[in-house]
């Protein structure tokens, strides 16, 4: 039997089968907490500092004091990968409000819980030309629960994903409260029209994806124009190409939305360039095992 993965919980490592937290943790009771999903490629963690910065920003926004310094948490992530002898991995970092009473007040939770899970995760939608619907569930209003906060409260996204499951497609595209396109349920969206790459701006009510950021930089390096602008479902249907980006999904072609074929229904030329370029940079992150 292969060795069981070790999960970091509050500074100690426990085997995966014994990795449990209290039912009184407000992460479970109220989705009160924040998280990150991070990948490593060939022994290097992709954009580790960008993920950590986003985690600390999410925590700050919900008044959650992460009980480790930035450096200590960074090292704990790398150590969790080393203990599990992983090179190509997916890391899930969670910081919950911690154990408290049944009431929702965070004041009853003195110590946040920190969990780091490092495991293998195959790319979501691997080898799939993604088909999607536009969900009737709108993305949370930024004035209610800002999508920039990567919180443990993913029910908004889960409801949209359920719509995709019911429609027997791979993913759901979520509109914001204004009715323009926001993002997928766990990924950002890009379209290509007349050689220009477009993605919704931060004000569209989206998570500012690390992969989104990397793809924007890659496109610009390739001399491909990129604009952050609002667009509607109509513009997605009539795009030449479309693709989704995310840590779990990486870069995947989006070839059909609401039963309408996008472009020629296959992975487009600009999408192909970006997928190939992404493969060349993804191993350039923070080394897990310094030489
Ligand atoms: N939007 C949402 C709602 C997400 O959950 C994710 C995954 N973290 C993304 C976008 C993509 O972000 P990233 O590229 O940082 O994984």
């Amino acid at each position: 039997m292969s060795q069981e993965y070790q999960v970091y919980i509050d500074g100690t490592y426990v085997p995966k089968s014994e990795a449990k937290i209290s039912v009184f943790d407000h992460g479970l009771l109220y989705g009160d907490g924040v998280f990150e999903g991070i990948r490593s490629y060939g022994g290097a963690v992709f954009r580790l500092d960008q993920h950590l910065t986003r985690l600390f920003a999410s925590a700050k926004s919900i008044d959650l004091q992460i009980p480790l310094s930035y450096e200590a948490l960074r090292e704990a992530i790398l150590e969790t990968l080393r203990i599990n002898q992983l090179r190509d991995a997916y890391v899930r970092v969670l910081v919950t409000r911690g154990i408290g009473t049944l009431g929702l007040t965070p004041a009853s939770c003195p110590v946040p819980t920190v969990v780091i899970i490092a495991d293998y995760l195959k790319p979501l939608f691997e080898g799939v030309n993604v088909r999607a619907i536009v969900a009737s569930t709108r993305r949370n209003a930024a004035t209610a629960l800002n999508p920039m906060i990567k919180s443990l409260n993913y029910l908004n996204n889960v409801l949209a994903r359920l719509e995709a499951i019911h429609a027997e497609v791979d993913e759901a595209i979520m509109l914001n409260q204004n009715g323009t396109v926001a993002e997928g349920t766990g990924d950002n969206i890009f379209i290509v029209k007349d050689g220009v790459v477009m993605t919704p701006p931060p004000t569209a009510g989206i998570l500012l994806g690390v992969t989104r950021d990397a793809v924007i930089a890659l496109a610009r390096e390739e001399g491909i124009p990129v604009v952050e602008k609002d667009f509607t479902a109509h513009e997605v249907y009539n795009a030449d190409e479309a693709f989704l980006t995310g840590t779990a999904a990486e870069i995947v072609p989006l070839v059909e939305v609401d039963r309408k074929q996008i472009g020629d229904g296959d992975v487009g030329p600009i999408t192909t360039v970006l997928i190939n370029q992404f493969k060349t940079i993804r191993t350039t992150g923070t080394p897990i095992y310094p030489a």
Side-chain angles (χ1 to χ4, degrees):
M1 204 185 91
S2 63
Q3 208 194 321
E4 222 185 337
Y5 283 123
Q6 301 289 311
V7 177
Y8 173 106
I9 304 179
D10 294 330
T12 52
Y13 287 96
V14 290
K16 182 177 174 176
S17 60
E18 291 162 32
K20 299 183 172 94
I21 61 162
S22 167
V23 295
F24 294 98
D25 194 300
H26 281 209
L28 175 68
L29 287 173
Y30 296 110
D32 185 354
V34 295
F35 77 103
E36 277 299 316
I38 308 171
R39 270 191 194 277
S40 68
Y41 297 95
V45 184
F46 185 67
R47 295 202 167 204
L48 175 57
D49 288 295
Q50 215 175 324
H51 282 288
L52 277 165
T53 301
R54 186 171 70 184
L55 183 72
F56 274 84
S58 292
K60 182 171 188 176
S61 215
I62 68 163
D63 278 347
L64 176 64
Q65 182 70 44
I66 296 180
L68 291 173
S69 69
Y70 181 97
E71 274 309 317
L73 183 56
R74 191 178 194 277
E75 185 48 36
I77 292 168
L78 293 168
E79 184 62 21
T80 305
L81 285 159
R82 285 195 283 264
I83 278 184
N84 291 298
Q85 294 169 28
L86 287 161
R87 296 180 65 81
D88 294 278
Y90 178 84
V91 184
R92 179 62 63 86
V93 184
L94 293 85
V95 186
T96 79
R97 189 71 68 180
I99 297 169
T101 63
L102 288 177
L104 68 79
T105 176
S108 77
C109 310
V111 191
T113 304
V114 181
V115 174
I116 307 171
I117 306 165
D119 205 338
Y120 174 77
L121 180 75
K122 79 177 176 72
L124 196 66
F125 313 124
E126 190 179 31
V128 173
N129 284 346
V130 171
R131 297 162 59 229
I133 53 157
V134 174
S136 64
T137 305
R138 295 284 173 97
R139 193 73 177 97
N140 284 329
T143 47
L145 175 53
N146 197 325
M148 283 196 199
I149 301 168
K150 196 164 169 58
S151 87
L152 291 177
N153 213 306
Y154 253 51
L155 198 51
N156 180 224
N157 313 54
V158 170
L159 291 176
R161 180 63 75 86
L162 274 174
E163 291 187 48
I165 292 168
H166 294 152
E168 297 180 349
V169 295
D170 308 298
E171 179 54 310
I173 306 303
M174 303 184 76
L175 307 179
N176 58 32
Q177 303 291 316
N178 299 327
T180 65
V181 172
E183 58 184 341
T185 63
D187 28 70
N188 293 110
I189 183 169
F190 287 75
I191 59 172
V192 183
K193 187 71 178 176
D194 299 329
V196 179
V197 173
M198 286 172 263
T199 196
T203 48
I206 59 170
L207 182 77
L208 287 176
V210 170
T211 321
R212 171 188 183 275
D213 191 60
V215 164
I216 291 172
L218 282 176
R220 290 192 173 139
E221 277 163 31
E222 289 297 304
I224 302 165
V226 185
V227 288
E228 294 178 87
K229 72 180 272 284
D230 286 310
F231 50 82
T232 62
H234 172 80
E235 287 156 291
V236 180
Y237 303 149
N238 291 288
D240 300 328
E241 303 177 34
F243 58 91
L244 303 174
T245 67
T247 299
E250 304 181 332
I251 306 173
V252 287
L254 174 64
V255 302
E256 184 195 290
V257 176
D258 286 343
R259 310 280 161 191
K260 293 174 247 299
Q261 178 180 299
I262 298 175
D264 63 8
D266 206 347
V267 49
I270 290 180
T271 307
T272 303
V273 166
L274 294 171
I275 289 172
N276 290 335
Q277 285 304 106
F278 184 72
K279 283 183 187 150
T280 69
I281 62 148
R282 67 186 187 179
T283 50
T284 58
T286 304
I288 302 167
Y289 309 94

PDB file of all heavy atoms in Angstrom, residues 231-255:
ATOM      1  N   PHE A 231     -18.385  42.256 -20.436  1.00  0.00           N
ATOM      2  CA  PHE A 231     -19.089  41.784 -21.632  1.00  0.00           C
ATOM      3  C   PHE A 231     -20.270  40.920 -21.194  1.00  0.00           C
ATOM      4  O   PHE A 231     -20.361  40.499 -20.039  1.00  0.00           O
ATOM      5  CB  PHE A 231     -18.159  41.054 -22.605  1.00  0.00           C
ATOM      6  CG  PHE A 231     -17.292  39.969 -22.015  1.00  0.00           C
ATOM      7  CD1 PHE A 231     -17.793  38.691 -21.798  1.00  0.00           C
ATOM      8  CD2 PHE A 231     -15.959  40.219 -21.698  1.00  0.00           C
ATOM      9  CE1 PHE A 231     -16.983  37.694 -21.276  1.00  0.00           C
ATOM     10  CE2 PHE A 231     -15.136  39.230 -21.168  1.00  0.00           C
ATOM     11  CZ  PHE A 231     -15.650  37.951 -20.957  1.00  0.00           C
ATOM     12  N   THR A 232     -21.159  40.707 -22.133  1.00  0.00           N
ATOM     13  CA  THR A 232     -22.386  39.953 -21.842  1.00  0.00           C
ATOM     14  C   THR A 232     -22.278  38.526 -22.394  1.00  0.00           C
ATOM     15  O   THR A 232     -21.326  38.202 -23.125  1.00  0.00           O
ATOM     16  CB  THR A 232     -23.593  40.635 -22.502  1.00  0.00           C
ATOM     17  OG1 THR A 232     -23.368  40.625 -23.919  1.00  0.00           O
ATOM     18  CG2 THR A 232     -23.774  42.070 -22.021  1.00  0.00           C
ATOM     19  N   ALA A 233     -23.285  37.722 -22.077  1.00  0.00           N
ATOM     20  CA  ALA A 233     -23.331  36.357 -22.609  1.00  0.00           C
ATOM     21  C   ALA A 233     -23.335  36.381 -24.140  1.00  0.00           C
ATOM     22  O   ALA A 233     -22.717  35.526 -24.784  1.00  0.00           O
ATOM     23  CB  ALA A 233     -24.580  35.642 -22.093  1.00  0.00           C
ATOM     24  N   HIS A 234     -23.985  37.384 -24.716  1.00  0.00           N
ATOM     25  CA  HIS A 234     -24.022  37.532 -26.176  1.00  0.00           C
ATOM     26  C   HIS A 234     -22.611  37.539 -26.767  1.00  0.00           C
ATOM     27  O   HIS A 234     -22.350  36.909 -27.803  1.00  0.00           O
ATOM     28  CB  HIS A 234     -24.754  38.840 -26.517  1.00  0.00           C
ATOM     29  CG  HIS A 234     -24.703  39.236 -27.947  1.00  0.00           C
ATOM     30  ND1 HIS A 234     -25.523  38.674 -28.900  1.00  0.00           N
ATOM     31  CD2 HIS A 234     -23.920  40.133 -28.603  1.00  0.00           C
ATOM     32  CE1 HIS A 234     -25.241  39.213 -30.083  1.00  0.00           C
ATOM     33  NE2 HIS A 234     -24.278  40.104 -29.925  1.00  0.00           N
ATOM     34  N   GLU A 235     -21.715  38.264 -26.099  1.00  0.00           N
ATOM     35  CA  GLU A 235     -20.339  38.340 -26.611  1.00  0.00           C
ATOM     36  C   GLU A 235     -19.573  37.031 -26.414  1.00  0.00           C
ATOM     37  O   GLU A 235     -18.640  36.743 -27.169  1.00  0.00           O
ATOM     38  CB  GLU A 235     -19.613  39.522 -25.951  1.00  0.00           C
ATOM     39  CG  GLU A 235     -20.107  40.848 -26.509  1.00  0.00           C
ATOM     40  CD  GLU A 235     -19.885  42.003 -25.552  1.00  0.00           C
ATOM     41  OE1 GLU A 235     -20.557  42.040 -24.490  1.00  0.00           O
ATOM     42  OE2 GLU A 235     -19.030  42.844 -25.847  1.00  0.00           O
ATOM     43  N   VAL A 236     -19.971  36.266 -25.406  1.00  0.00           N
ATOM     44  CA  VAL A 236     -19.351  34.944 -25.242  1.00  0.00           C
ATOM     45  C   VAL A 236     -19.821  34.029 -26.379  1.00  0.00           C
ATOM     46  O   VAL A 236     -19.010  33.373 -27.039  1.00  0.00           O
ATOM     47  CB  VAL A 236     -19.688  34.323 -23.864  1.00  0.00           C
ATOM     48  CG1 VAL A 236     -19.021  32.953 -23.722  1.00  0.00           C
ATOM     49  CG2 VAL A 236     -19.272  35.251 -22.729  1.00  0.00           C
ATOM     50  N   TYR A 237     -21.134  34.018 -26.624  1.00  0.00           N
ATOM     51  CA  TYR A 237     -21.675  33.160 -27.692  1.00  0.00           C
ATOM     52  C   TYR A 237     -20.991  33.463 -29.036  1.00  0.00           C
ATOM     53  O   TYR A 237     -20.772  32.574 -29.846  1.00  0.00           O
ATOM     54  CB  TYR A 237     -23.180  33.395 -27.915  1.00  0.00           C
ATOM     55  CG  TYR A 237     -24.085  33.202 -26.717  1.00  0.00           C
ATOM     56  CD1 TYR A 237     -25.259  33.961 -26.602  1.00  0.00           C
ATOM     57  CD2 TYR A 237     -23.806  32.263 -25.732  1.00  0.00           C
ATOM     58  CE1 TYR A 237     -26.127  33.790 -25.528  1.00  0.00           C
ATOM     59  CE2 TYR A 237     -24.667  32.096 -24.645  1.00  0.00           C
ATOM     60  CZ  TYR A 237     -25.824  32.866 -24.552  1.00  0.00           C
ATOM     61  OH  TYR A 237     -26.682  32.711 -23.496  1.00  0.00           O
ATOM     62  N   ASN A 238     -20.711  34.739 -29.262  1.00  0.00           N
ATOM     63  CA  ASN A 238     -20.209  35.171 -30.577  1.00  0.00           C
ATOM     64  C   ASN A 238     -18.700  35.397 -30.618  1.00  0.00           C
ATOM     65  O   ASN A 238     -18.176  35.982 -31.559  1.00  0.00           O
ATOM     66  CB  ASN A 238     -20.962  36.427 -31.023  1.00  0.00           C
ATOM     67  CG  ASN A 238     -22.414  36.084 -31.343  1.00  0.00           C
ATOM     68  OD1 ASN A 238     -22.687  35.449 -32.351  1.00  0.00           O
ATOM     69  ND2 ASN A 238     -23.323  36.444 -30.450  1.00  0.00           N
ATOM     70  N   ALA A 239     -18.009  34.913 -29.587  1.00  0.00           N
ATOM     71  CA  ALA A 239     -16.544  35.041 -29.566  1.00  0.00           C
ATOM     72  C   ALA A 239     -15.921  34.096 -30.594  1.00  0.00           C
ATOM     73  O   ALA A 239     -16.551  33.121 -31.019  1.00  0.00           O
ATOM     74  CB  ALA A 239     -16.034  34.711 -28.169  1.00  0.00           C
ATOM     75  N   ASP A 240     -14.684  34.397 -30.970  1.00  0.00           N
ATOM     76  CA  ASP A 240     -13.943  33.488 -31.846  1.00  0.00           C
ATOM     77  C   ASP A 240     -13.407  32.299 -31.051  1.00  0.00           C
ATOM     78  O   ASP A 240     -13.290  31.190 -31.555  1.00  0.00           O
ATOM     79  CB  ASP A 240     -12.772  34.228 -32.513  1.00  0.00           C
ATOM     80  CG  ASP A 240     -13.253  35.403 -33.358  1.00  0.00           C
ATOM     81  OD1 ASP A 240     -14.364  35.305 -33.923  1.00  0.00           O
ATOM     82  OD2 ASP A 240     -12.526  36.420 -33.436  1.00  0.00           O
ATOM     83  N   GLU A 241     -13.014  32.606 -29.801  1.00  0.00           N
ATOM     84  CA  GLU A 241     -12.487  31.584 -28.895  1.00  0.00           C
ATOM     85  C   GLU A 241     -12.896  31.975 -27.485  1.00  0.00           C
ATOM     86  O   GLU A 241     -13.138  33.156 -27.213  1.00  0.00           O
ATOM     87  CB  GLU A 241     -10.941  31.552 -28.899  1.00  0.00           C
ATOM     88  CG  GLU A 241     -10.287  31.335 -30.230  1.00  0.00           C
ATOM     89  CD  GLU A 241      -8.750  31.406 -30.133  1.00  0.00           C
ATOM     90  OE1 GLU A 241      -8.171  30.988 -29.103  1.00  0.00           O
ATOM     91  OE2 GLU A 241      -8.142  31.892 -31.093  1.00  0.00           O
ATOM     92  N   ALA A 242     -12.916  31.011 -26.599  1.00  0.00           N
ATOM     93  CA  ALA A 242     -13.109  31.303 -25.183  1.00  0.00           C
ATOM     94  C   ALA A 242     -12.353  30.243 -24.388  1.00  0.00           C
ATOM     95  O   ALA A 242     -12.134  29.123 -24.879  1.00  0.00           O
ATOM     96  CB  ALA A 242     -14.584  31.285 -24.815  1.00  0.00           C
ATOM     97  N   PHE A 243     -11.911  30.633 -23.190  1.00  0.00           N
ATOM     98  CA  PHE A 243     -11.255  29.643 -22.328  1.00  0.00           C
ATOM     99  C   PHE A 243     -11.419  30.038 -20.870  1.00  0.00           C
ATOM    100  O   PHE A 243     -11.766  31.174 -20.546  1.00  0.00           O
ATOM    101  CB  PHE A 243      -9.775  29.459 -22.705  1.00  0.00           C
ATOM    102  CG  PHE A 243      -8.931  30.703 -22.661  1.00  0.00           C
ATOM    103  CD1 PHE A 243      -8.254  31.075 -21.517  1.00  0.00           C
ATOM    104  CD2 PHE A 243      -8.797  31.516 -23.795  1.00  0.00           C
ATOM    105  CE1 PHE A 243      -7.469  32.224 -21.484  1.00  0.00           C
ATOM    106  CE2 PHE A 243      -8.014  32.660 -23.775  1.00  0.00           C
ATOM    107  CZ  PHE A 243      -7.350  33.015 -22.610  1.00  0.00           C
ATOM    108  N   LEU A 244     -11.214  29.045 -19.998  1.00  0.00           N
ATOM    109  CA  LEU A 244     -11.322  29.246 -18.558  1.00  0.00           C
ATOM    110  C   LEU A 244      -9.947  29.057 -17.936  1.00  0.00           C
ATOM    111  O   LEU A 244      -9.140  28.270 -18.454  1.00  0.00           O
ATOM    112  CB  LEU A 244     -12.288  28.217 -17.953  1.00  0.00           C
ATOM    113  CG  LEU A 244     -13.708  28.194 -18.527  1.00  0.00           C
ATOM    114  CD1 LEU A 244     -14.493  27.021 -17.923  1.00  0.00           C
ATOM    115  CD2 LEU A 244     -14.431  29.515 -18.242  1.00  0.00           C
ATOM    116  N   THR A 245      -9.688  29.768 -16.840  1.00  0.00           N
ATOM    117  CA  THR A 245      -8.397  29.628 -16.160  1.00  0.00           C
ATOM    118  C   THR A 245      -8.611  29.442 -14.663  1.00  0.00           C
ATOM    119  O   THR A 245      -9.481  30.064 -14.068  1.00  0.00           O
ATOM    120  CB  THR A 245      -7.508  30.879 -16.355  1.00  0.00           C
ATOM    121  OG1 THR A 245      -8.118  32.004 -15.678  1.00  0.00           O
ATOM    122  CG2 THR A 245      -7.292  31.220 -17.811  1.00  0.00           C
ATOM    123  N   GLY A 246      -7.788  28.601 -14.070  1.00  0.00           N
ATOM    124  CA  GLY A 246      -7.841  28.413 -12.620  1.00  0.00           C
ATOM    125  C   GLY A 246      -6.736  27.468 -12.202  1.00  0.00           C
ATOM    126  O   GLY A 246      -6.204  26.728 -13.035  1.00  0.00           O
ATOM    127  N   THR A 247      -6.422  27.480 -10.925  1.00  0.00           N
ATOM    128  CA  THR A 247      -5.364  26.602 -10.428  1.00  0.00           C
ATOM    129  C   THR A 247      -5.732  25.139 -10.651  1.00  0.00           C
ATOM    130  O   THR A 247      -4.897  24.348 -11.094  1.00  0.00           O
ATOM    131  CB  THR A 247      -5.118  26.881  -8.933  1.00  0.00           C
ATOM    132  OG1 THR A 247      -4.703  28.237  -8.801  1.00  0.00           O
ATOM    133  CG2 THR A 247      -4.067  25.956  -8.359  1.00  0.00           C
ATOM    134  N   ALA A 248      -6.981  24.784 -10.341  1.00  0.00           N
ATOM    135  CA  ALA A 248      -7.395  23.387 -10.515  1.00  0.00           C
ATOM    136  C   ALA A 248      -7.571  23.049 -11.992  1.00  0.00           C
ATOM    137  O   ALA A 248      -7.186  21.984 -12.452  1.00  0.00           O
ATOM    138  CB  ALA A 248      -8.688  23.116  -9.747  1.00  0.00           C
ATOM    139  N   ALA A 249      -8.138  23.992 -12.749  1.00  0.00           N
ATOM    140  CA  ALA A 249      -8.463  23.735 -14.158  1.00  0.00           C
ATOM    141  C   ALA A 249      -7.282  24.001 -15.096  1.00  0.00           C
ATOM    142  O   ALA A 249      -7.245  23.472 -16.198  1.00  0.00           O
ATOM    143  CB  ALA A 249      -9.641  24.605 -14.574  1.00  0.00           C
ATOM    144  N   GLU A 250      -6.352  24.859 -14.669  1.00  0.00           N
ATOM    145  CA  GLU A 250      -5.262  25.378 -15.511  1.00  0.00           C
ATOM    146  C   GLU A 250      -5.898  26.216 -16.638  1.00  0.00           C
ATOM    147  O   GLU A 250      -6.681  27.106 -16.346  1.00  0.00           O
ATOM    148  CB  GLU A 250      -4.357  24.237 -15.986  1.00  0.00           C
ATOM    149  CG  GLU A 250      -3.816  23.468 -14.765  1.00  0.00           C
ATOM    150  CD  GLU A 250      -2.894  22.322 -15.066  1.00  0.00           C
ATOM    151  OE1 GLU A 250      -3.004  21.712 -16.133  1.00  0.00           O
ATOM    152  OE2 GLU A 250      -2.044  22.026 -14.197  1.00  0.00           O
ATOM    153  N   ILE A 251      -5.579  25.945 -17.911  1.00  0.00           N
ATOM    154  CA  ILE A 251      -6.233  26.703 -18.988  1.00  0.00           C
ATOM    155  C   ILE A 251      -6.994  25.698 -19.837  1.00  0.00           C
ATOM    156  O   ILE A 251      -6.393  24.757 -20.367  1.00  0.00           O
ATOM    157  CB  ILE A 251      -5.203  27.445 -19.882  1.00  0.00           C
ATOM    158  CG1 ILE A 251      -4.285  28.328 -19.038  1.00  0.00           C
ATOM    159  CG2 ILE A 251      -5.915  28.270 -20.968  1.00  0.00           C
ATOM    160  CD1 ILE A 251      -3.136  28.960 -19.823  1.00  0.00           C
ATOM    161  N   VAL A 252      -8.309  25.883 -19.936  1.00  0.00           N
ATOM    162  CA  VAL A 252      -9.105  24.915 -20.704  1.00  0.00           C
ATOM    163  C   VAL A 252     -10.005  25.632 -21.710  1.00  0.00           C
ATOM    164  O   VAL A 252     -10.613  26.654 -21.399  1.00  0.00           O
ATOM    165  CB  VAL A 252      -9.970  24.005 -19.811  1.00  0.00           C
ATOM    166  CG1 VAL A 252      -9.125  22.985 -19.080  1.00  0.00           C
ATOM    167  CG2 VAL A 252     -10.813  24.799 -18.843  1.00  0.00           C
ATOM    168  N   PRO A 253     -10.067  25.088 -22.930  1.00  0.00           N
ATOM    169  CA  PRO A 253     -10.933  25.705 -23.933  1.00  0.00           C
ATOM    170  C   PRO A 253     -12.411  25.591 -23.560  1.00  0.00           C
ATOM    171  O   PRO A 253     -12.850  24.550 -23.074  1.00  0.00           O
ATOM    172  CB  PRO A 253     -10.628  24.916 -25.210  1.00  0.00           C
ATOM    173  CG  PRO A 253      -9.869  23.720 -24.807  1.00  0.00           C
ATOM    174  CD  PRO A 253      -9.326  23.922 -23.439  1.00  0.00           C
ATOM    175  N   LEU A 254     -13.132  26.665 -23.784  1.00  0.00           N
ATOM    176  CA  LEU A 254     -14.588  26.692 -23.584  1.00  0.00           C
ATOM    177  C   LEU A 254     -15.189  26.736 -24.985  1.00  0.00           C
ATOM    178  O   LEU A 254     -14.991  27.724 -25.712  1.00  0.00           O
ATOM    179  CB  LEU A 254     -14.957  27.942 -22.776  1.00  0.00           C
ATOM    180  CG  LEU A 254     -16.434  28.242 -22.558  1.00  0.00           C
ATOM    181  CD1 LEU A 254     -17.104  27.153 -21.719  1.00  0.00           C
ATOM    182  CD2 LEU A 254     -16.595  29.594 -21.848  1.00  0.00           C
ATOM    183  N   VAL A 255     -15.848  25.672 -25.390  1.00  0.00           N
ATOM    184  CA  VAL A 255     -16.235  25.550 -26.802  1.00  0.00           C
ATOM    185  C   VAL A 255     -17.735  25.640 -27.044  1.00  0.00           C
ATOM    186  O   VAL A 255     -18.177  25.691 -28.195  1.00  0.00           O
ATOM    187  CB  VAL A 255     -15.687  24.250 -27.432  1.00  0.00           C
ATOM    188  CG1 VAL A 255     -14.164  24.190 -27.320  1.00  0.00           C
ATOM    189  CG2 VAL A 255     -16.318  23.012 -26.808  1.00  0.00           C
TER     190      VAL A 255
END
